[in-house]
Amino acid sequence: TMSVKAFKLVSAVEREMLMGDKNYINIECIECCGKNLYIGTNDCFIYHFLLDEKISTAGKVTFAATKQLHKYLGLKKPVSELKAASALTRLLVLCDNTITLVNMMNLEPVPTGARIKGAVTFTLNENPVSGDPFCVEVCIISVKRRTIQMFMVFEDRVQIVKEVFTPEQPCAVAVDGYYLCLALTTQYIILNYNNGISQDLFPYCSDEKRPIVKRIGRQEFLLAGPGGLGMFATVDGISQRAPVHWSENVIGAALCFPYVVALDDEFITVHSMLDQQQKQTLPFKEGHILQDFEGKVIVATNKGVYILVPLPLEKQIQDLLASHRVEEALVLAKGARRNIPKEKFQVMYKRILQQAGFIQFAQLQFLEAKELFRKLSGQLDVRELISLYPFLLPTSSSFIRSHPPLHEYADLNQLTQGDQEKMTKCKRFLMSYLNEVRSTEVANGYKEDIDTALLKLYAEANHESLLDLLVSENFCLLTDSAAWLEKHKKYFALGLLYHYNGQDAAALQLWVKIVDGDIEDSTRSDLYEYIVDFLTFCSDQDLVWKYTEWVLQKNEEVGIQIFTKRPLEEQEKNNVNPDDIISCLNKYPKAHVKYLEHLVLERKIQKEKYHTHLAVLYLEAIIQLKSLTTDNFTQTTELLFKLRTLLQKSDHYRIHFILDKIQGTDLHMESAILYGKLEEHEKALHILVHELKDFHAAEEYCIWNSENRDVQYRRRLFHMLLSVYLNPGSSDCALVMAAVDLLNNHAAEFDAALVLQVVPDSWSVQLLSPFLTGAVRQSIHTKRMTQTSLGLAQAENLIYKYEKVKHKGTPILLSDKKVCQVCQSPFCEPVFVRYPNGGMVHTHCAVNRHLNSNMSHHSSSSSNQT
């Protein structure tokens, strides 16, 4: 058991004051009420002392007892028990089985001689049921066997209220309201004397040991149980607290929250009700009385009286913390809540939690420390923790540590005694703790201190979260953080810090130095690409232009992304003129092409100069590649594909200019495409068929050239191609086969009647059977579709005719005898308005604003007929 100095034993009444040299006098019982101390002796005397408590400047407590008077009761029997009823200024004295009422001040019996006879022992009900403030309720164990009696005691009279019989002889009793807690011969019971219901608690042998029954609070009792246990029991017969372990021969027990004090032959023991642990042992021989009076614990031997003075709870808690007994200190602190005013308690408890947190922290119990630091009632000013770590708080921080201090450490070096492993663990803990609290209200007011400290820890530990911190919202102080990052050679991170603080030029300058190898930082292997990306989204045009040459020199194809990948809204705002960019790119052919591709193909800018320029660049690159002897087939093929796609899809380049450039080269396919753009299809098809002999390309030419054109245009192109194949001057067998394949594969694209006029008579029907089958099918299909369309049109026309007839309805006769329903005049011309009810009016009457309400109602649904 770990000891706590909870009480100090102080003498109150010395032997000499009580009995002088009369050795035969023994103390039998005591009572204390405020400053009044009463002692009953074995020679039938009552002594009255006044107790004065004195506290020295050093905090030492002493008691001075002043004897007031003593009184002999004249019965030559010991005074067994004394109980004060201060509301009545009466002292109840049990002597020779009789309870006498005496005046508290002069110890004279009341004039009426009121008394209770036949009492073995008695107790007062501290939770009375009568509600009369000038009356005390007394419970006695009667000399009659197995009998308990309840009395009401007034200033000068007594009145019996109830007599209760018990299953066994009672030997000790305590009362709370209607509930009696009784020690019988073999067991403890709870008995409700109002309704007679009883409940057994647990067995106990009163012959072997002296029973203890003590009321310790509302509806709760403390009992001496079997096996030296101090048991707690409520009036419902249940125990809400774990028992405390006493010695086997306990004589008395008392309560001084949060402690249970017990007395045996040799010691006074102190147990905590909060964790049931024994906290203190005081040697005390020959003790035979232990009682508590309104929080004052008094012990007595036969010859002297002593007071157990409790040390202030705060002092006890601080002693526990000083011994690093955190759990016990916290349990005691929580338990102290009921004894200390709320505001004072909260201040004290917050400080205790923080002290406890630092003790756990110093023992590297980080989880426990964090829990204590983060408890709502003890929220720690996080700078207390940061200040333990040298150089982590910013130089500008105005923080001063709490006074008195929350711990005994100057800094982390002292705490870890230079142990690097411990220091690393402490730093890891602070990282995780700061990361957790930085986004909570704990950080309010200290965000700069927290984030700057976190940055320093991350940088020092080479932690991956350093970059996450810098790219998200943070409050790192620039001056402190920059110096620290530079010291730890974290140049990329320093660039991020500059960027976050709006200093992009400084950030880029650093990063460029890293890529160029002027300074070393391996944080990102793709830093060049990162810079390109950064410039792409950088809104500072001067900065972009400043580094354009640098990025293009490093890698044209990646570098050009600073212009091609810029956000579209920025490009459309035309912040950067494309012509300026193109001028700048003259030295960088690959980038030049990429940028023009971006303008033409991605942004789809329809400017002739860009389209022509791109086509010329493709053309020049192809001619250059073809002039080289090295194997560059793939590259050439890719460029040819790009050039052909551009020539086919675009309508915005100078066709004649490109055609002139191609003259004299072997770019026949490209020439054909250009002639197609000029609507010179015979020339184009001639090149494809006779020079390239690429019949598939010729067919494709007809298809893409007739895209978005009508059927007649497409048919004309296919007939042209057929004519080229069947040119009378050519007898090439391949051309004949190409013509047959063309007809058989694209039957739908031809006018069958025209085809039959131009094909040679020598061709067999079998040769053209797929074409003829397709042509006949197409003809029949066309005829049927036409008939269907005609039928549908006729049906639709019939529906319209029916609707027209239906709308005509019955004829309306108008003569000069008919009169207008509004003005009653005859109609002079065949123009009128007819209402659904058949009434006819002049047109000018219909629009008259003063139509009567009935006619107005009708006119809302009228139809005009003439």
Side-chain angles (χ1 to χ4, degrees):
T1 309
M2 303 190 82
S3 65
V4 175
K5 196 163 184 187
F7 293 95
K8 198 174 176 189
L9 197 60
V10 178
S11 172
V13 180
E14 299 286 347
R15 171 195 174 117
E16 288 74 22
M17 290 183 69
L18 195 64
M19 56 198 72
D21 54 0
K22 298 172 187 169
N23 259 346
Y24 60 86
I25 297 175
N26 287 335
I27 296 171
E28 286 291 324
C29 58
I30 52 176
E31 170 66 316
C32 187
C33 180
K35 288 188 172 186
N36 299 293
L37 175 68
Y38 300 94
I39 298 174
T41 60
N42 60 341
D43 60 347
C44 209
F45 273 87
I46 302 171
Y47 292 82
H48 178 200
F49 292 90
L50 273 185
L51 279 180
D52 252 340
E53 186 177 343
K54 293 179 180 174
I55 303 172
S56 71
T57 48
K60 188 179 177 184
V61 177
T62 54
F63 287 92
T66 315
K67 186 173 169 184
Q68 301 300 298
L69 72 155
H70 61 277
K71 176 80 176 171
Y72 178 57
L73 297 181
L75 295 170
K76 295 187 179 177
K77 292 283 178 80
V79 178
S80 309
E81 285 186 51
L82 296 168
K83 296 275 186 250
S86 56
L88 313 178
T89 64
R90 296 289 176 260
L91 188 66
L92 282 71
V93 182
L94 173 62
C95 182
D96 194 21
N97 298 112
T98 301
I99 299 169
T100 311
L101 272 66
V102 304
N103 185 294
M104 276 179 74
M105 292 302 116
N106 60 22
L107 302 182
E108 292 296 331
V110 292
T112 58
R115 63 189 58 207
I116 299 169
K117 293 184 177 177
V120 178
T121 181
F122 77 100
T123 188
L124 304 186
N125 188 351
E126 290 171 47
N127 180 20
V129 293
S130 73
D132 184 345
F134 298 106
C135 150
V136 290
E137 294 172 21
V138 177
C139 171
I140 73 162
I141 295 178
S142 174
V143 290
K144 288 200 272 183
R145 278 188 58 71
R146 299 190 302 165
T147 305
I148 299 283
Q149 291 174 331
M150 300 298 297
F151 287 88
M152 288 174 73
V153 175
F154 299 90
E155 221 171 9
D156 51 5
R157 65 190 176 89
V158 296
Q159 177 186 330
I160 188 159
V161 178
K162 190 92 172 176
E163 188 167 76
V164 184
F165 298 103
T166 58
E168 295 176 4
Q169 179 60 31
C171 42
V173 64
V175 195
D176 185 291
Y178 287 115
Y179 293 97
L180 306 176
C181 185
L182 292 161
L184 304 180
T185 317
T186 63
Q187 64 175 341
Y188 288 103
I189 66 164
I190 297 281
L191 174 65
N192 184 322
Y193 73 78
N194 190 42
N195 58 23
I197 295 170
S198 75
Q199 185 165 358
D200 296 351
L201 294 177
F202 48 83
Y204 185 79
C205 183
S206 61
D207 296 340
E208 293 174 16
K209 286 179 202 160
R210 178 169 158 186
I212 294 173
V213 183
K214 176 154 187 61
R215 179 184 181 272
I216 60 163
R218 189 171 173 77
Q219 301 194 337
E220 191 174 13
F221 303 97
L222 173 64
L223 316 167
L229 290 176
M231 308 278 283
F232 298 93
T234 66
V235 294
D236 299 319
I238 57 171
S239 185
Q240 292 174 323
R241 309 173 199 270
V244 292
H245 288 269
W246 288 334
S247 65
E248 289 283 352
N249 48 353
V250 170
I251 299 162
L255 184 85
C256 180
F257 190 84
Y259 298 112
V260 174
V261 185
L263 174 70
D264 63 24
D265 303 338
E266 296 189 16
F267 299 102
I268 297 167
T269 55
V270 179
H271 286 78
S272 169
M273 289 170 73
L274 305 170
D275 61 8
Q276 291 72 49
Q277 299 298 312
Q278 186 172 324
K279 300 295 181 184
Q280 189 178 10
T281 307
L282 296 154
F284 192 74
K285 291 189 186 295
E286 298 174 5
H288 76 113
I289 297 171
L290 169 64
Q291 280 178 273
D292 59 270
F293 306 96
E294 298 159 2
K296 197 176 281 174
V297 181
I298 300 182
V299 285
T301 61
N302 284 332
K303 309 297 180 188
V305 179
Y306 303 86
I307 296 178
L308 278 174
V309 180
L311 262 73
L313 281 172
E314 283 183 68
K315 172 83 170 73
Q316 294 181 41
I317 293 163
Q318 290 304 326
D319 288 349
L320 284 168
L321 288 172
S323 313
H324 294 179
R325 286 155 64 188
V326 173
E327 281 305 315
E328 290 177 76
L330 291 174
V331 168
L332 185 54
K334 276 186 212 158
R337 181 175 305 202
R338 62 187 251 184
N339 292 36
I340 299 174
K342 188 178 177 184
E343 288 75 16
K344 187 182 176 189
F345 172 79
Q346 282 175 339
V347 172
M348 180 192 88
Y349 191 56
K350 177 177 178 176
R351 183 175 165 76
I352 290 165
L353 284 173
Q354 293 176 357
Q355 286 177 282
F358 276 108
I359 289 166
Q360 297 284 36
F361 172 74
Q363 294 172 346
L364 309 190
Q365 303 290 325
F366 297 127
L367 276 174
E368 294 82 351
K370 181 163 75 175
E371 200 176 319
L372 291 163
F373 289 150
R374 292 207 64 181
K375 275 194 178 162
L376 203 60
S377 49
Q379 282 289 20
L380 177 72
D381 177 344
V382 74
R383 297 172 301 172
E384 286 280 359
L385 189 56
I386 299 171
S387 71
L388 267 176
Y389 296 71
F391 311 117
L392 284 199
L393 274 177
T395 45
S396 58
S397 176
S398 57
F399 173 70
I400 297 165
R401 281 189 189 173
S402 164
H403 187 79
L406 295 171
H407 53 80
E408 62 204 37
Y409 305 104
D411 62 18
L412 206 58
N413 293 317
Q414 184 199 339
L415 188 147
T416 60
Q417 295 180 330
D419 184 324
Q420 284 307 308
E421 192 183 341
K422 282 185 183 175
M423 209 172 278
T424 305
K425 284 180 181 172
C426 289
K427 285 178 179 175
R428 266 208 300 270
F429 163 70
L430 186 62
M431 268 185 232
S432 94
Y433 183 67
L434 293 181
N435 191 41
E436 275 180 43
V437 301
R438 67 187 291 261
S439 53
T440 67
E441 68 270 14
V442 179
N444 290 349
Y446 323 130
K447 288 179 187 286
E448 291 88 351
D449 294 353
I450 290 174
D451 282 1
T452 306
L454 200 50
L455 174 136
K456 290 177 177 181
L457 286 167
Y458 284 157
E460 189 180 49
N462 199 21
H463 199 282
E464 59 195 12
S465 300
L466 174 63
L467 304 184
D468 296 333
L469 175 69
L470 288 167
V471 296
S472 56
E473 188 191 12
N474 67 77
F475 296 87
C476 299
L477 290 170
L478 181 61
T479 319
D480 262 63
S481 304
W484 191 272
L485 291 171
E486 202 163 337
K487 175 187 167 187
H488 290 280
K489 296 186 166 43
K490 296 287 171 194
Y491 299 112
F492 175 69
L494 179 53
L496 291 177
L497 178 71
Y498 282 141
H499 167 56
Y500 189 81
N501 285 277
Q503 299 184 16
D504 287 356
L508 280 163
Q509 193 176 2
L510 261 180
W511 294 336
V512 166
K513 279 184 179 178
I514 297 171
V515 175
D516 288 344
D518 299 340
I519 51 178
E520 203 175 312
D521 182 344
S522 58
T523 307
R524 286 193 78 125
S525 55
D526 62 342
L527 184 53
Y528 168 72
E529 287 79 3
Y530 182 88
I531 294 172
V532 169
D533 199 48
F534 184 85
L535 287 167
T536 303
F537 293 94
C538 177
S539 54
D540 183 343
Q541 294 304 326
D542 295 337
L543 211 51
V544 175
W545 282 113
K546 181 179 175 181
Y547 288 100
T548 299
E549 294 271 346
W550 182 83
V551 294
L552 291 169
Q553 281 167 6
K554 290 281 175 198
N555 185 328
E556 287 185 45
E557 291 176 66
V558 175
I560 193 58
Q561 290 175 11
I562 65 172
F563 297 121
T564 61
K565 294 276 179 75
R566 288 195 88 66
L568 199 59
E569 62 272 14
E570 197 180 314
Q571 293 188 49
E572 283 170 355
K573 271 193 241 162
N574 216 12
N575 284 351
V576 184
N577 186 343
D579 295 341
D580 295 340
I581 297 170
I582 291 167
S583 313
C584 165
L585 296 176
N586 284 330
K587 289 186 286 183
Y588 307 102
K590 289 179 183 171
H592 202 168
V593 171
K594 287 266 183 200
Y595 185 65
L596 283 168
E597 284 177 344
H598 165 70
L599 294 178
V600 170
L601 307 176
E602 289 173 25
R603 286 184 59 191
K604 304 197 183 313
I605 292 177
Q606 298 180 357
K607 279 193 178 177
E608 172 271 317
K609 63 178 176 183
Y610 298 149
H611 288 248
T612 305
H613 196 162
L614 181 58
V616 168
L617 288 177
Y618 283 154
L619 199 53
E620 286 173 352
I622 291 164
I623 293 166
Q624 191 186 355
L625 283 170
K626 282 179 178 274
S627 68
L628 299 172
T629 52
T630 51
D631 181 19
N632 44 39
F633 176 75
T634 313
Q635 214 176 340
T636 311
T637 309
E638 190 185 330
L639 274 170
L640 279 169
F641 175 75
K642 285 183 175 181
L643 177 61
R644 285 171 191 170
T645 308
L646 177 67
L647 295 178
Q648 280 179 0
K649 298 274 168 60
S650 171
D651 295 322
H652 303 289
Y653 55 87
R654 286 155 58 198
I655 302 168
H656 289 289
F657 179 73
I658 304 294
L659 202 52
D660 290 345
K661 288 264 185 193
I662 285 178
Q663 295 302 328
T665 67
D666 60 350
L667 299 176
H668 302 302
M669 175 65 82
E670 290 67 23
S671 301
I673 294 168
L674 290 165
Y675 281 125
K677 287 283 179 181
L678 293 168
E679 297 282 331
E680 295 180 19
H681 300 301
E682 286 92 345
K683 278 187 185 178
L685 289 169
H686 187 274
I687 292 169
L688 293 170
V689 173
H690 293 296
E691 292 186 31
L692 284 175
K693 300 200 184 313
D694 189 340
F695 308 135
H696 176 70
E699 290 177 21
E700 286 296 314
Y701 175 89
C702 295
I703 291 167
W704 71 256
N705 253 306
S706 57
E707 271 176 8
N708 305 321
R709 300 293 192 103
D710 59 22
V711 177
Q712 291 306 319
Y713 189 88
R714 175 175 283 219
R715 187 164 280 179
R716 189 161 67 82
L717 284 181
F718 273 95
H719 276 281
M720 266 185 204
L721 179 56
L722 182 63
S723 302
V724 172
Y725 285 154
L726 298 178
N727 189 345
S730 170
S731 57
D732 190 340
C733 187
L735 291 179
V736 173
M737 286 314 297
V740 172
D741 289 341
L742 180 68
L743 289 169
N744 288 339
N745 293 335
H746 298 279
E749 312 294 356
F750 289 94
D751 181 332
L754 284 175
V755 170
L756 290 174
Q757 287 173 21
V758 298
V759 295
D761 297 339
S762 58
W763 286 14
S764 66
V765 171
Q766 190 181 354
L767 189 65
L768 286 176
S769 66
F771 167 70
L772 293 169
T773 307
V776 169
R777 188 179 289 127
Q778 182 65 31
S779 178
I780 294 168
H781 175 70
T782 305
K783 180 185 175 187
R784 287 174 179 167
M785 287 300 288
T786 308
Q787 286 173 334
T788 306
S789 296
L790 181 64
L792 287 168
Q794 287 171 337
E796 192 178 14
N797 183 253
L798 193 61
I799 289 164
Y800 287 144
K801 281 180 177 174
Y802 168 72
E803 289 292 323
K804 187 179 176 184
V805 169
K806 197 168 75 174
H807 281 113
K808 280 183 176 177
T810 52
I812 295 159
L813 300 173
L814 183 69
S815 69
D816 54 0
K817 292 192 176 70
K818 287 245 181 181
V819 292
C820 168
Q821 282 196 347
V822 175
C823 67
Q824 302 301 317
S825 303
F827 288 93
C828 304
E829 53 183 349
V831 180
F832 59 90
V833 173
R834 180 180 182 272
Y835 291 112
N837 65 357
M840 290 189 288
V841 298
H842 291 119
T843 51
H844 58 269
C845 291
V847 296
N848 192 322
R849 291 181 185 178
H850 303 293
L851 284 172
N852 64 43
S853 60
N854 185 39
M855 290 302 286
S856 168
H857 169 69
H858 288 313
S859 71
S860 66
S861 56
S862 68
S863 63
N864 293 354
Q865 295 196 0
T866 56

